[in-house]
Amino acid sequence: MAATSEAVCQVLCSAGPRISHMGLCFNKSNFLVLSKYGSSYRSENGSGCTQIKSSSHQNHRRICAFHIVDGVLCGSNLNNCFRSLNCKCRQTDSVTDLVNEDLNRRINGVENASVLENEKRDVLLNGDLATNGNGGFSSTLPIASISSVEEEAWDLLRASMVNYCGNPVGTIAANDPSDSNILNYDQVFIRDFIPSGIAFLLKGEYDIVRNFILHTLQLQSWEKTMDCHSPGQGLMPASFKVRTVPLDGDDSATEDILDPDFGEAAIGRVAPVDSGLWWIILLRAYGKSTGDLSVQERIDVQTGIKMILKLCLADGFDMFPTLLVTDGSCMIDRRMGIHGHPLEIQALFYSALLSAREMLTREDASADLITALNNRLVALSFHVREYYWIDMRKLNEIYRYKTEEYSYDAVNKFNIYPDQIPPWLVEWMPNKGGYMIGNLQPAHMDFRFFSLGNLWSIVSSLATADQSHAILDLYEAKWADLVGDMPLKICYPALEGQEWRIITGSDPKNTPWSYHNGGSWPTLLWQLTVASIKMNRPEIAENAVKVAEIRLARDKWPEYYDTKRGRFIGKQARLFQTWSIAGYVVAKQLLANPEAAKILVNVEDTELVNAFSCMLSTNPKKKRSRKGLKQSFII
């Protein structure tokens, strides 16, 4: 333990330039932020924007903010700490062969010659998948058609923009003019806006991202309650809505207010754990994309980062370094048996910790927080890489596990019973390739494959280089299952039969191979693209994009697709779903300019690798210290 602590304490990161700010003024329920960028006023009830004359309404329950937005500094002095992403890897034709075989099967299965010709003509006219003369992928959509798809996507993305006080502040979840039952799809969701924000950053349109970052920060720690209980300080909302309401005492004037939802109005009433993690990741991407570090160095932004870290790093009863959360706390926001330590949250948590460490200004007040952060990074990477990873070798090891082992030297540390290995996995696991399992708890391994968690493990370097390549190998080996006719399976396989009834509670929306239960989500294209580019295997993302763009515009940009191969538009899928549009746009942008992926990638830290190696070489009996290192957080 001592060796580990010494290695951890040596983890350092460079300090960025400082910038002077005016101070903060606090009281019990209000938060006034003063800086060189202007002032904003936060209260327990929301955020708003009016003219200065409205400041006389001091008892107004909504926030009346005197908001000043200055121009974004768009310098060319970009952060060049990004290291080379090039990796040596073997190119494979397995995906190409699979799609060729599938196309031939579909065509050769037509007995009548005239029907065959009609189908070939339909392939050319309607846009299906074919191969070029070299056996590689080739979209039968003409270049002009592909260009028009991109143009349509950009038009729809801009049409979904929401303004607050005359400035763009986000994009709504879906913008289907024919749908009268909008529920909360007319709100700006934190997680949904991430691909939209990345698209705008890559396009050089920075204002909307800057506004989004600063205005969602105003909503942090909003003291709403559900059943008389307040959320933890630092919690970011799941979404917010811009409302225009009459000004108190003056019917001729109106004001814009931001009305956030922390989960108290959502289906299931689950607070979002991932919102704050995504917010930190987007903040870092903004700084790397624009070269403007002044936003992340603002005193209110620094305070917001620390509040999120304090919430995530707080001590509790849990003994694992992974983040303990409830079902429905992430992209899968319904009951799906992912309570505990789901991979998606751990990958985002790891990425957010690395990103926050880059952005925190070096000051005495942050020293203890950074120490705790570094300790958690080492423990988290060790835990996930060692215990979440599964491939054919590890599967054989689990198959031969002994149970009821007691000692520090136990091989089966979590008392996993070999009978837990599901029959589908025995046949499904390829000889080459592997992945991170969905969840790990005592006597329980969730062997399902979850796309976002695995892809972001690659992006954040939570997975090793070998593990990252193996995950991409799995995508190629199981292309028909994970990509099929529409990328990308949110998880595989679906819960079915009695298992579905017990785990989901017979959820009528999460039926097998639909929605979160094995549905196909086009928005995941952008995460696949970042991961593929990082590992220098962009052809994987290119092939998936070519599959997707055949149907996306024709199907009116659905939220998700159903069936094992994703052949049907989701039975309850919203059309013109913004993050489906943005996911496609970001994938196309990154494939056109792979270097731009550096704004999202976390390069593996050599000091963390050394500390990780130290943990592996330490005697297991010395890992448990009764005294331990006390972790304190100075915020």
Side-chain angles (χ1 to χ4, degrees):
M1 186 70 181
T4 303
S5 299
E6 290 176 2
V8 170
C9 291
Q10 293 176 358
V11 180
L12 301 174
C13 55
S14 59
R18 300 192 181 197
I19 189 166
S20 59
H21 298 274
M22 301 177 69
L24 289 175
C25 178
F26 294 87
N27 60 29
K28 183 175 181 181
S29 60
N30 302 326
F31 184 12
L32 177 63
V33 180
L34 301 175
S35 76
K36 61 180 284 187
Y37 299 93
S39 62
S40 61
Y41 179 80
R42 294 170 56 186
S43 171
E44 63 182 33
N45 281 38
S47 177
C49 176
T50 67
Q51 299 298 321
I52 292 181
K53 67 180 182 180
S54 68
S55 62
S56 61
H57 299 278
Q58 296 181 1
N59 295 325
H60 203 279
R61 296 293 292 172
R62 305 180 186 89
I63 282 196
C64 300
F66 310 143
H67 180 66
I68 302 173
V69 179
D70 62 313
V72 176
L73 177 61
C74 303
S76 59
N77 184 22
L78 297 176
N79 188 332
N80 56 9
C81 296
F82 184 80
R83 305 173 195 172
S84 173
L85 298 181
N86 293 332
C87 304
K88 301 296 182 182
C89 63
R90 184 183 68 83
Q91 303 298 324
T92 178
D93 295 328
S94 60
V95 178
T96 301
D97 295 340
L98 188 149
V99 176
N100 288 345
E101 179 182 345
D102 179 68
L103 184 64
N104 291 332
R105 174 183 56 78
R106 286 192 288 163
I107 293 179
N108 292 335
V110 181
E111 298 178 356
N112 187 284
S114 61
V115 176
L116 174 61
E117 292 303 318
N118 290 337
E119 180 167 331
K120 288 182 178 179
R121 185 180 69 251
D122 290 341
V123 164
L124 294 174
L125 294 178
N126 297 331
D128 206 333
L129 196 65
T131 55
N132 58 30
N134 298 322
F137 275 96
S138 173
S139 171
T140 55
L141 286 172
I143 295 178
S145 298
I146 295 175
S147 177
S148 65
V149 171
E150 292 182 56
E151 291 173 0
E152 177 185 335
W154 270 109
D155 290 342
L156 292 171
L157 184 58
R158 290 197 170 93
S160 68
M161 291 170 60
V162 176
N163 287 327
Y164 171 64
C165 302
N167 297 303
V169 72
T171 53
I172 59 176
N175 191 24
D176 184 0
S178 63
D179 191 353
S180 58
N181 186 24
I182 57 176
L183 295 177
N184 59 351
Y185 282 78
D186 62 343
Q187 298 187 21
V188 180
F189 281 81
I190 305 298
R191 74 172 67 96
D192 288 39
F193 179 75
I194 301 304
S196 297
I198 300 301
F200 287 120
L201 288 178
L202 296 177
K203 193 75 167 178
E205 300 177 14
Y206 306 133
D207 285 353
I208 184 173
V209 181
R210 183 177 187 275
N211 294 339
F212 173 85
I213 290 171
L214 296 179
H215 284 303
T216 50
L217 179 65
Q218 293 178 5
L219 302 175
Q220 188 184 33
S221 300
W222 208 56
E223 297 178 11
K224 267 195 174 182
T225 64
M226 186 178 72
D227 295 336
C228 303
H229 181 74
S230 299
Q233 188 181 36
L235 181 70
M236 283 288 187
S239 63
F240 65 85
K241 183 177 177 64
V242 179
R243 301 185 188 276
T244 302
V245 299
L247 191 62
D248 288 351
D250 187 357
D251 294 337
S252 63
T254 61
E255 63 174 341
D256 285 350
I257 64 167
L258 297 179
D259 184 13
D261 176 14
F262 288 87
E264 71 276 9
I267 298 173
R269 305 300 192 265
V270 180
V273 177
D274 60 341
S275 289
L277 307 178
W278 277 123
W279 183 85
I280 290 177
I281 293 169
L282 182 64
L283 175 63
R284 173 181 178 264
Y286 174 85
K288 285 188 168 291
S289 181
T290 64
D292 175 18
L293 303 183
S294 61
V295 172
Q296 67 190 42
E297 291 169 348
R298 286 174 51 140
I299 192 168
D300 54 336
V301 174
Q302 287 286 309
T303 302
I305 296 173
K306 293 175 183 178
M307 289 172 65
I308 295 172
L309 293 178
K310 180 181 178 182
L311 183 64
C312 293
L313 295 172
D315 291 332
F317 290 103
D318 194 36
M319 295 293 290
F320 300 149
T322 43
L323 207 56
L324 178 65
V325 299
T326 60
D327 236 343
S329 59
C330 53
M331 180 180 176
I332 296 179
D333 57 6
R334 296 169 75 95
R335 179 178 168 186
M336 268 285 290
I338 61 170
H339 56 278
H341 308 84
L343 176 65
E344 176 181 331
I345 290 296
Q346 314 317 320
L348 293 175
F349 183 35
Y350 189 77
S351 182
L353 289 177
L354 288 175
S355 300
R357 194 180 67 173
E358 283 185 31
M359 297 185 292
L360 282 173
T361 55
R362 294 302 176 265
E363 55 188 23
D364 293 339
S366 300
D368 287 346
L369 180 62
I370 292 176
T371 299
L373 187 154
N374 285 328
N375 276 323
R376 193 61 168 266
L377 279 170
V378 175
L380 181 61
S381 62
F382 175 85
H383 185 85
V384 173
R385 291 176 179 183
E386 286 294 297
Y387 305 127
Y388 276 64
W389 181 253
I390 189 167
D391 54 15
M392 202 62 183
R393 182 196 63 80
K394 186 63 179 289
L395 196 59
N396 269 279
E397 180 182 316
I398 297 173
Y399 182 73
R400 294 172 55 82
Y401 266 169
K402 295 179 180 179
T403 59
E404 315 304 324
E405 293 182 296
Y406 174 81
S407 75
Y408 297 114
D409 299 321
V411 175
N412 186 1
K413 290 179 169 48
F414 299 96
N415 200 33
I416 304 300
Y417 302 108
D419 286 346
Q420 289 183 17
I421 299 176
W424 67 264
L425 182 59
V426 176
E427 302 298 329
W428 193 72
M429 178 65 76
N431 290 325
K432 180 182 179 182
Y435 65 97
M436 301 286 190
I437 62 172
N439 212 330
L440 175 65
Q441 298 185 79
H444 173 68
M445 295 182 78
D446 185 347
F447 288 99
R448 286 176 293 174
F449 176 87
F450 290 85
S451 283
L452 179 53
N454 275 276
L455 293 175
W456 211 258
S457 294
I458 298 175
V459 174
S460 65
S461 292
L462 177 58
T464 66
D466 289 342
Q467 289 173 342
S468 297
H469 278 297
I471 293 170
L472 295 181
D473 289 340
L474 182 76
Y475 268 104
E476 291 190 317
K478 297 299 177 181
W479 189 265
D481 294 329
L482 302 178
V483 177
D485 290 347
M486 176 55 66
L488 213 62
K489 274 280 177 282
I490 191 171
C491 68
Y492 183 90
L495 299 172
E496 299 182 282
Q498 188 69 8
E499 187 180 32
W500 166 76
R501 283 187 284 273
I502 293 173
I503 292 180
T504 73
S506 300
D507 188 343
K509 195 168 185 178
N510 271 336
T511 53
W513 306 108
S514 178
Y515 202 47
H516 298 134
N517 190 14
S520 299
W521 294 71
T523 188
L524 293 171
L525 278 172
W526 75 274
Q527 284 105 339
L528 175 66
T529 304
V530 179
S532 299
I533 290 174
K534 182 191 175 187
M535 303 313 296
N536 198 29
R537 298 170 69 172
E539 71 280 355
I540 296 176
E542 290 171 356
N543 294 337
V545 169
K546 288 175 181 177
V547 171
E549 65 188 353
I550 293 169
R551 295 180 57 192
L552 276 175
R554 187 178 65 189
D555 294 342
K556 300 180 181 179
W557 307 94
E559 180 182 12
Y560 63 94
Y561 286 77
D562 286 352
T563 72
K564 284 188 177 182
R565 289 186 60 98
R567 298 183 64 191
F568 285 53
I569 298 174
K571 57 186 175 183
Q572 296 188 42
R574 301 285 166 156
L575 301 181
F576 300 103
Q577 185 79 14
T578 303
W579 71 348
S580 295
I581 298 166
Y584 168 75
V585 166
V586 172
K588 295 291 287 188
Q589 287 175 303
L590 291 177
L591 289 174
N593 181 21
E595 185 68 14
K598 66 183 180 182
I599 69 174
L600 295 163
V601 168
N602 298 108
V603 179
E604 188 167 41
D605 191 297
T606 54
E607 296 294 340
L608 284 178
V609 173
N610 293 335
F612 180 78
S613 300
C614 179
M615 290 189 72
L616 288 175
S617 61
T618 302
N619 189 319
K621 293 184 179 180
K622 295 181 180 179
K623 289 182 181 179
R624 184 171 180 258
S625 173
R626 295 188 181 276
K627 293 183 179 180
L629 178 64
K630 184 178 180 181
Q631 298 180 2
S632 58
F633 307 94
I634 302 176
I635 303 298

